[in-house]
């Protein structure tokens, strides 16, 4: 039928073309009118045929050229695994099966910018539109070359480029840097599908015979110019293989053993194999060098084996007798559960080790090849939830595990005044996972927080899907203040909650430009606690975890949001300027103890109308020096100084990054008025750290000219890396040179555990708050008060209040090289303290909690002498600095 319609449409289109040509010959209006009348049925038939010819489906996508309005044929349209190509009329159809609770579409076409549209956190009864239109614009060119570790071109390598997703609304079509390119025989590649502006770029390369770990690598902003002039060189490394043999304690081959290798802490398996009947295996896709293998089987204990790849001889793995582990899984009523998946989460801190088993109908399973020591397991079954990272050790008796169903919550939502049910509302789950005294609730609509089913007459149910110590629910309804439940655990069988919502006044306002004229079309962001807003380069917005979409002002500059109970910020960022206002919590008396002053602002009622008046952007420009040389091609960043870092309050961050030119010149052109700091970006292994250089108070519309660096002298030294550190597999974290401030004397304060010292300010405050309630704490406070009344105490207070000579240099962060050496440039005269922690490098991949277990620490006080003229190119060599083992308490 569709082919017939296409043919009929073509015939009608040809007939319509003939008629149009005849119309050109008419010179009198009446003749023209009669021709139009005769043509109308043909036009109707034409559009009907085109409509029938369009492919059927749940959603029709129409792709056009934005400049001409002409349809674009052969554009690739994808929604997850569903892909389609547009026809000659620029149309195609996609099914609208959800991927989780999201639906996203990408549109690709050579020489056009990739376009995307998505819908997030969809409700079960929410309908997607039956048709969307995507207008595409021509793209800019990017290019480069792909080479191997020896600099030789890699032909036919497949390259994927990704950019940061810009802020957008559900259903809004937006441009995105996302392209796939294949290099030619000379390793060169070009795409003409890049947007004109982007803030960051990551890439992934795959090629036959080359190592690939499914990760994305960032391209430094200083290399964007090379991207645009097509001179950027990307390097990939040849992969190697490793052969081996698995043997039992008697030296006989072991068949069916699982051999895996991957990231220590990431849980990523980069290569896997099973041993054959001769016990042989081959692992492919390996990076040359030292690797660790995880070897598991049904009958023998897990092994972690260190080896080298490639190897001249096959690697032999000698298995040891297993320690049988018996599991018995029951529900909360004690009934056995069959079909429960039990699998290794980690063994000896290696997350890539793999072995799984499943309980029988009686809830039992036995693993003969259990380890002799502790192993961490995950336990899961659909509808019963998951137990994550459960430490498990062999035992004589079966290990009994109780698995869901977890707490089942029934809720009722009513109007607090009338008592009548509220029909339209949303429920947002939150989880509380106390770490080092933290009691913050993390609100999230994602599925990991639990399953919410909203019924009728104000009723809903909720079931947690993951085990957390505590949960909390937030109910929101249009025109009402949000209402939070009390925290609850996951061990109760049934829990009934009542939510009585109080009507509130919406948050409204008007955005004005610098001349106090209403500004239409401006985006206003409502920033809540735990949902920071980040301003990226050139005034673009990046939002993390925001469940409230930004509002666009109408033709009169007006905007509006639903009522809010907690503190919030209103932020507007436009090319013309920046505006921000803050509002305290509606009920500050309910704020957690110890929260900052802002949370306790009075009165307990607040305005409903907030106007935003844009202030013109400031500019920070200048030159960076490193010693007597221009600081060429060095990364700099600009950050706002946030006076309030409390997690219960809204946070707005500025992350403006650039690279100095060959003369060390730089210019930040979109700087919000207020306190900011310029930082130097320093590479630290695979991550980057910031070294503060200068604080500035920026006035609206003004340019601050600054001169950075070029003072003081370089400091060099070397840490004595202990032989116990894993070779080339450690990282120096928080390595810094800080001004040595005058300290208060008197009775000594208690030594905080390392995990607390490295935690947040809130964690330190809570630990100290609990400690001073102890008898030792009370005695110390009494001794401090008594001592500060003495002449010595008064002198110590006066010394601590004196200004620091080199306060302009807040700190010097620095990188430590694999051999322990370091260099710190432009250090003025003064007293300083070097301090750093050393950790396993795998910690950067997240995971096992090793942040609380450093390999070692180092601390040293130094004095940089006064230099003639305030600077010197002669480096001050600190020699070898000792690295101490971590405190015994750790």
């Amino acid at each position: 039928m569709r082919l017939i319609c296409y043919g009929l449409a073509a015939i009608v289109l040809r007939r319509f073309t003939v008629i149009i040509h005849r119309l050109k010959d008419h010179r009198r209006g009446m003749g023209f009118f009669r021709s139009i009348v005769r043509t109308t049925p043909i036009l109707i038939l034409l559009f009907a045929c085109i409509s029938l010819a369009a492919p059927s489906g749940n959603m029709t996508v129409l792709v056009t050229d934005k400049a001409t309005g002409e349809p674009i044929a052969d554009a690739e349209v994808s929604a997850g695994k569903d892909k389609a190509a547009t026809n000659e009329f620029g149309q195609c159809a996609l099914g609208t099966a959800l991927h989780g609770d999201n639906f996203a579409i990408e549109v690709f076409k050579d020489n056009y910018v990739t376009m995307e549209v998505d819908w997030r956190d969809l409700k079960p009864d929410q309908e997607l539109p039956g048709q969307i239109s995507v207008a595409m614009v021509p793209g800019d060119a990017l290019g480069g070359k792909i080479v191997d570790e020896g600099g030789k071109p890699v032909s036919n390598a497949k390259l994927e480029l990704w950019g940061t997703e810009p802020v957008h609304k559900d259903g809004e079509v937006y441009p995105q840097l996302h392209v796939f390119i294949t290099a030619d025989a000379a390793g060169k590649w070009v795409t003409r599908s890049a947007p004109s502006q982007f803030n960051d770029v990551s890439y992934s390369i795959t090629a036959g015979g080359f190592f690939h770990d499914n990760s994305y690598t960032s391209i430094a902003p200083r290399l964007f110019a090379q991207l645009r002039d097509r001179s950027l060189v990307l390097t990939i490394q040849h992969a190697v293989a490793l052969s081996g043999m698995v043997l039992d304690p008697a030296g006989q081959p072991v068949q069916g053993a699982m051999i895996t290798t991957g990231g220590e802490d990431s849980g990523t398996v980069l290569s896997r194999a099973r041993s054959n009947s001769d016990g042989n295996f081959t692992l492919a896709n390996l990076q040359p060098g030292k690797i660790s293998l995880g070897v598991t089987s049904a009958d023998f204990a897990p092994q972690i084996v260190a080896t080298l790849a490639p190897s001249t001889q096959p690697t032999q793995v000698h298995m040891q007798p297993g320690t049988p582990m018996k599991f018995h899984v029951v529900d909360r009523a004690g009934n056995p559960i069959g079909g429960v998946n039990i699998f290794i989460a980690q063994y000896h801190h290696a997350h890539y080790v793999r072995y799984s088993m499943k309980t029988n109908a009686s809830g039992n399973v036995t693993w003969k090849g259990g380890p002799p020591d502790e192993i961490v397991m995950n336990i899961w079954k659909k509808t019963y939830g998951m137990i994550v990272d459960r430490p498990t050790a062999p035992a004589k008796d079966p290990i009994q595990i109780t698995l869901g169903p977890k707490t089942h919550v029934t809720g009722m939502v009513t109007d607090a005044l009338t008592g009548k049910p509220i029909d339209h509302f949303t429920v947002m789950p939150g989880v509380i996972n106390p770490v080092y005294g933290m009691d913050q609730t993390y609100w999230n609509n994602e599925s990991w927080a639990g399953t919410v089913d909203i019924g009728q007459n104000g009723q809903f149910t909720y079931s947690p899907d993951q085990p957390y110590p505590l949960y909390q629910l937030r109910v929101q309804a249009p025109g009402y203040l949000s209402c939070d439940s009390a925290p609850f655990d996951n061990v109760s069988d049934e829990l009934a909650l009542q939510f009585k919502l109080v009507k509130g006044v919406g948050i409204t306002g008007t955005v004005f430009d610098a001349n106090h004229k209403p500004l239409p079309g401006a985006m206003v962001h409502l920033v809540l606690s735990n949902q920071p807003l980040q301003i990226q380069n050139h005034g673009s917005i990046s939002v993390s975890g925001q469940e409230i979409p930004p509002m666009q002002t109408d033709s009169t500059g007006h905007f509006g949001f639903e009522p809010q109970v907690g503190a919030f910020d209103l932020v507007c960022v436009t090319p013309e300027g920046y505006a921000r206002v803050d509002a305290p919590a509606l009920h500050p008396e309910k704020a957690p103890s110890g929260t900052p002053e802002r949370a306790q602002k009075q009165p307990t009622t607040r305005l409903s109308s907030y106007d935003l008046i844009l202030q013109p952007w400031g500019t920070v420009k200048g030159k960076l020096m490193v010693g007597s040389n221009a600081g060429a091609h060095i990364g700099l960043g600009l950050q706002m100084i946030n006076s309030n870092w409390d997690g219960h309050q809204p946070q707005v961050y500025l992350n403006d990054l650039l690279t100095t030119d060959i003369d060390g010149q730089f210019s930040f052109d979109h700087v919000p008025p207020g306190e900011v700091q310029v930082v130097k970006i320093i590479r630290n292994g695979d991550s980057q750290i910031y070294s503060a250089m200068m604080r500035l108070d920026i006035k609206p519309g003004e340019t601050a000219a600054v001169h950075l660096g070029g003072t003081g002298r370089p400091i060099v030294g070397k840490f004595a890396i202990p032989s116990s550190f894993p070779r080339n597999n450690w990282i120096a974290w928080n390595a810094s040179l800080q001004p040595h401030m005058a300290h208060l004397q008197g009775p000594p304060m208690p030594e905080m555990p390392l995990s607390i010292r490295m935690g947040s300010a809130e964690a330190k405050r809570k630990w100290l708050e609990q400690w001073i309630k102890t008898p030792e704490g009370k005695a110390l406070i009494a001794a401090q008060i008594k001592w500060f009344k003495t002449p010595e105490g008064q002198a110590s207070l006066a010394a601590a209040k004196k200004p620091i000579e080199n306060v302009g240099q807040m700190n010097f962060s620095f990188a430590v090289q694999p051999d322990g050496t370091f260099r710190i440039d432009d250090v003025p005269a003064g007293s300083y303290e070097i301090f750093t922690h050393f950790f396993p490098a795998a910690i950067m991949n997240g995971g096992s909690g090793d942040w609380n277990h450093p390999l070692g620490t180092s601390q040293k006080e130094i004095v940089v002498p006064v230099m003639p003229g305030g600077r010197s190119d002669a480096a001050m060599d600190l020699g070898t600095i000792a690295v101490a083992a971590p405190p015994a308490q750790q």
Side-chain angles (χ1 to χ4, degrees):
M1 177 63 184
R2 187 173 300 166
L3 291 175
I4 294 173
C5 291
Y6 278 131
L8 184 56
I11 293 170
V12 173
L13 187 58
R14 284 198 296 272
R15 173 61 178 159
F16 179 62
T17 304
V18 172
I19 292 172
I20 290 298
H21 282 293
R22 290 179 179 175
L23 289 177
K24 292 180 179 179
D25 294 333
H26 282 272
R27 296 293 185 267
R28 301 179 62 180
M30 186 56 69
F32 183 83
F33 177 78
R34 285 195 297 267
S35 296
I36 289 294
V37 172
R38 287 196 299 269
T39 307
T40 300
I42 299 177
L43 290 174
I44 294 173
L45 180 60
L46 171 65
F47 290 119
C49 289
I50 291 175
S51 178
L52 288 172
S56 59
N58 292 330
M59 178 182 288
T60 300
V61 182
L62 175 62
V63 182
T64 61
D65 185 297
K66 186 174 183 179
T68 66
E70 295 293 322
I72 297 178
D74 297 322
E76 180 184 325
V77 183
S78 65
K81 296 181 180 179
D82 299 329
K83 299 182 185 299
T86 56
N87 59 26
E88 60 184 300
F89 307 106
Q91 292 182 317
C92 70
L94 292 172
T96 53
L98 297 183
H99 306 279
D101 52 2
N102 299 329
F103 184 74
I105 296 173
E106 281 190 295
V107 182
F108 302 91
K109 178 66 177 179
D110 288 344
N111 301 325
Y112 285 91
V113 177
T114 300
M115 306 300 289
E116 296 193 19
V117 57
D118 55 36
W119 292 264
R120 295 156 292 181
D121 303 324
L122 289 165
K123 303 299 183 289
D125 58 347
Q126 186 174 344
E127 293 185 1
L128 292 169
Q131 178 174 332
I132 64 166
S133 297
V134 177
M136 305 190 77
V137 297
D140 287 353
L142 304 177
K145 186 177 182 180
I146 299 173
V147 301
D148 65 14
E149 63 271 31
K152 296 181 179 179
V154 179
S155 62
N156 301 317
K158 299 184 183 302
L159 171 69
E160 181 182 4
L161 292 177
W162 263 106
T164 299
E165 182 179 292
V167 175
H168 60 278
K169 298 180 181 179
D170 279 6
E172 175 187 2
V173 180
Y174 59 91
Q176 172 68 301
L177 175 57
H178 188 202
V179 292
F180 300 86
I181 319 106
T182 299
D184 62 17
K188 294 183 178 181
W189 60 270
V190 175
T191 178
R192 292 178 174 83
S193 297
S196 58
Q197 290 188 350
F198 46 82
N199 295 325
D200 58 74
V201 186
S202 298
Y203 70 91
S204 177
I205 305 175
T206 55
F210 288 85
F211 175 75
H212 182 63
D213 61 359
N214 297 314
S215 65
Y216 291 84
T217 303
S218 295
I219 297 176
R222 61 184 175 82
L223 300 177
F224 287 176
Q226 296 179 28
L227 261 181
R228 295 191 183 279
D229 66 20
R230 309 179 203 177
S231 64
L232 180 66
V233 176
L234 301 176
T235 303
I236 56 176
Q237 190 175 26
H238 278 91
V240 298
L242 177 72
S243 297
M245 177 182 292
V246 182
L247 304 172
D248 67 13
Q252 298 300 308
V254 175
Q255 182 178 3
M258 173 66 78
I259 303 95
T260 53
T261 186
E264 286 288 334
D265 264 356
S266 66
T268 302
V269 174
L270 299 178
S271 184
R272 72 177 71 205
R274 282 194 180 274
S275 58
N276 61 20
S277 58
D278 296 323
N280 296 321
F281 67 88
T282 299
L283 288 173
N285 189 42
L286 302 176
Q287 277 186 306
K290 183 178 178 180
I291 62 170
S292 293
L293 309 179
V295 186
T296 58
S297 73
D299 300 310
F300 300 101
Q303 299 288 320
I304 304 293
V305 179
T307 186
L308 292 174
S311 176
T312 56
Q313 298 293 327
T315 298
Q316 289 193 352
V317 180
H318 297 275
M319 306 297 282
Q320 299 299 319
T323 304
M325 298 180 72
K326 297 180 179 180
F327 297 89
H328 181 58
V329 184
V330 298
D331 63 19
R332 296 193 182 280
N335 301 311
I337 309 175
V340 176
N341 297 282
I342 303 175
F343 50 96
I344 298 174
Q346 60 170 294
Y347 183 58
H348 290 185
H349 299 292
H351 287 68
Y352 54 81
V353 181
R354 292 291 184 265
Y355 188 81
S356 62
M357 59 200 112
K358 186 174 290 188
T359 60
N360 59 22
S362 300
N364 298 319
V365 66
T366 299
W367 182 20
K368 294 181 181 179
D373 49 1
E374 184 178 86
I375 192 168
V376 181
M377 310 293 287
N378 290 341
I379 302 99
W380 174 83
K381 184 178 182 179
K382 189 175 181 180
T383 74
Y384 284 86
M386 175 182 284
I387 296 176
V388 180
D389 291 344
R390 169 169 171 158
T392 310
K396 181 178 180 181
D397 298 324
I399 301 167
Q400 181 155 313
I401 299 169
T402 302
L403 190 65
K406 302 183 184 303
T407 297
H408 184 259
V409 176
T410 58
M412 185 69 185
V413 184
T414 60
D415 184 297
L417 185 62
T418 66
K420 294 181 178 180
I422 296 174
D423 292 328
H424 302 289
F425 60 90
T426 59
V427 180
M428 180 179 296
V431 296
I432 305 173
N433 194 6
V435 178
Y436 313 138
M438 299 292 284
D439 60 355
Q440 210 167 328
T441 302
Y442 293 86
W443 303 100
N444 206 302
N445 282 320
E446 300 295 337
S447 58
W448 57 262
T451 302
V452 176
D453 292 315
I454 296 179
Q456 298 179 341
N457 299 319
Q459 300 180 66
F460 72 89
T461 61
Y462 167 73
S463 298
D465 288 343
Q466 300 287 348
Y468 286 93
L470 293 171
Y471 305 85
Q472 201 168 8
L473 296 179
R474 171 171 291 173
V475 174
Q476 297 168 304
Y480 289 87
L481 297 171
S482 62
C483 182
D484 296 347
S485 72
F488 56 90
D489 56 33
N490 66 355
V491 298
S492 304
D493 292 330
E494 295 289 339
L495 181 65
L497 299 177
Q498 294 283 337
F499 294 86
K500 299 180 180 181
L501 304 190
V502 177
K503 286 190 175 181
V505 179
I507 300 166
T508 62
T510 302
V511 176
F512 297 93
D513 64 16
N515 297 319
H516 212 80
K517 293 182 179 179
L519 187 64
M523 301 301 293
V524 181
H525 298 260
L526 180 66
V527 188
L528 306 179
S529 62
N530 295 328
Q531 298 167 33
L533 183 143
Q534 184 163 277
I535 303 172
Q536 293 278 11
N537 300 56
H538 309 304
S540 66
I541 289 284
S542 174
V543 182
S544 172
Q546 289 274 329
E547 80 266 11
I548 301 177
M551 299 296 295
Q552 190 171 27
T553 58
D554 60 20
S555 59
T556 64
H558 187 77
F559 66 88
F561 291 95
E562 290 292 330
Q564 299 293 325
V565 174
F568 62 83
D569 281 354
L570 291 170
V571 175
C572 183
V573 177
T574 74
E576 295 78 21
Y578 169 82
R580 174 181 178 182
V581 297
D582 63 84
L586 186 59
H587 300 293
E589 68 278 3
K590 296 181 180 180
S593 61
T595 52
E597 182 181 351
R598 176 184 167 186
Q600 303 165 11
K601 285 184 180 179
Q602 299 295 329
T604 57
T605 60
R606 62 184 178 214
L607 298 174
S608 61
S609 179
Y610 292 86
D611 290 341
L612 291 164
I613 302 176
L614 291 178
Q615 292 182 303
W617 296 105
T619 300
V620 176
K621 62 190 311 181
K623 184 173 183 177
L624 172 67
M625 299 292 292
V626 178
S628 58
N629 300 315
H633 307 306
I634 293 177
L636 295 179
L638 193 73
Q639 302 172 337
M640 284 193 293
I641 303 296
N642 287 323
S643 59
N644 171 32
W645 295 95
D646 181 75
H648 295 279
Q649 302 300 313
Q651 302 292 339
V652 179
Y653 302 102
L654 171 69
N655 188 31
D656 199 353
L657 306 177
L658 55 71
T659 303
T660 60
D661 65 16
I662 193 170
D663 298 317
Q665 305 282 350
F666 63 90
S667 179
F668 293 99
D669 301 324
H670 291 78
V671 183
E675 278 195 297
V676 298
Q677 68 176 356
V678 182
V679 298
K680 183 189 291 186
I681 301 171
I682 299 172
R683 297 299 303 178
N684 186 31
D686 292 332
S687 65
Q688 61 185 28
I689 54 178
Y690 298 144
S691 182
M693 299 195 72
M694 181 176 291
R695 288 196 177 194
L696 302 164
D697 189 4
I698 303 301
K699 306 301 181 185
E702 293 187 359
T703 296
V706 299
H707 186 91
L708 303 178
T711 63
R713 71 191 315 158
I715 304 294
V716 298
K718 182 177 183 179
F719 290 106
I721 305 301
S723 59
S724 59
F725 280 24
R727 186 175 181 182
N728 296 328
N729 200 20
W730 52 266
I731 187 171
W733 192 247
N734 284 341
S736 62
L737 178 71
Q738 301 176 1
H740 190 279
M741 302 175 64
H743 296 289
L744 289 173
Q745 303 299 316
M749 295 296 290
E751 181 71 15
M752 289 185 178
L754 178 61
S755 59
I756 302 297
R757 296 203 308 271
M758 295 192 64
S760 66
E762 178 72 0
K764 297 183 181 72
R765 183 194 63 77
K766 288 196 172 185
W767 184 89
L768 190 59
E769 187 178 71
Q770 295 172 359
W771 185 85
I772 61 176
K773 294 178 182 179
T774 65
E776 295 82 0
K778 293 178 181 179
L780 174 64
I781 295 300
Q784 288 276 9
I785 293 174
K786 182 177 180 181
W787 186 82
F788 281 124
K789 293 180 179 179
T790 66
E792 295 82 2
Q794 293 296 310
S796 177
L797 281 172
K801 294 179 181 178
K802 288 183 178 180
I804 305 167
E805 180 180 353
N806 50 343
V807 71
Q809 300 286 354
M810 290 166 283
N811 70 73
F812 297 84
S813 297
F814 59 90
V816 180
Q817 303 306 314
D819 62 355
T821 59
F822 64 88
R823 178 186 176 96
I824 314 170
D825 288 303
D826 300 321
V827 181
S831 298
Y832 297 90
E833 192 172 27
I834 288 179
F835 186 77
T836 189
H837 284 92
F838 295 86
F839 291 93
I843 197 171
M844 298 305 297
N845 295 323
S848 65
D850 287 334
W851 286 111
N852 298 321
H853 300 87
L855 298 169
T857 61
S858 185
Q859 189 172 0
K860 181 180 178 65
E861 295 182 3
I862 68 169
V863 175
V864 179
V866 175
M867 295 151 276
R871 61 167 304 277
S872 172
D873 288 331
M876 178 178 175
D877 194 341
L878 303 181
T880 301
I881 301 176
V883 176
Q889 62 182 7
Q890 304 304 320

